[in-house]
Amino acid sequence: MQNFFGIEVDTASMTTEELQDARTKIREMLSNIEHQLLLRKMSERKFKDKDSVSSDSAKV
């Protein structure tokens, strides 16, 4: 049994086709998560840099 986001899945009883389909779907999901993480990191850096520029200009 494997636990995926709180859902128990019995991978031992799945057919080869079912396992391949699950692998494809999991890879797509991971790709989407990686993309969201990248976007958030870029956004955080942008706002962090913007805040530091604003505070630097406020000191002048």
Side-chain angles (χ1 to χ4, degrees):
M1 291 290 249
Q2 296 288 321
N3 186 331
F4 296 99
F5 298 106
I7 299 170
E8 293 284 330
V9 178
D10 186 8
T11 54
S13 67
M14 295 172 72
T15 66
T16 302
E17 184 177 300
E18 290 172 326
L19 286 168
Q20 289 174 335
D21 186 45
R23 179 182 60 190
T24 301
K25 289 177 181 177
I26 290 168
R27 284 182 176 165
E28 288 173 4
M29 182 174 42
L30 285 173
S31 178
N32 287 335
I33 290 171
E34 290 291 334
H35 181 71
Q36 287 299 319
L37 282 169
L38 177 64
L39 290 175
R40 294 209 183 159
K41 286 179 182 180
M42 288 172 54
S43 177
E44 287 171 359
R45 276 191 222 122
K46 179 180 177 181
F47 287 115
K48 183 179 178 181
D49 292 344
K50 189 176 182 180
D51 287 344
S52 67
V53 169
S54 295
S55 60
D56 288 344
S57 62
K59 293 177 185 177
V60 173

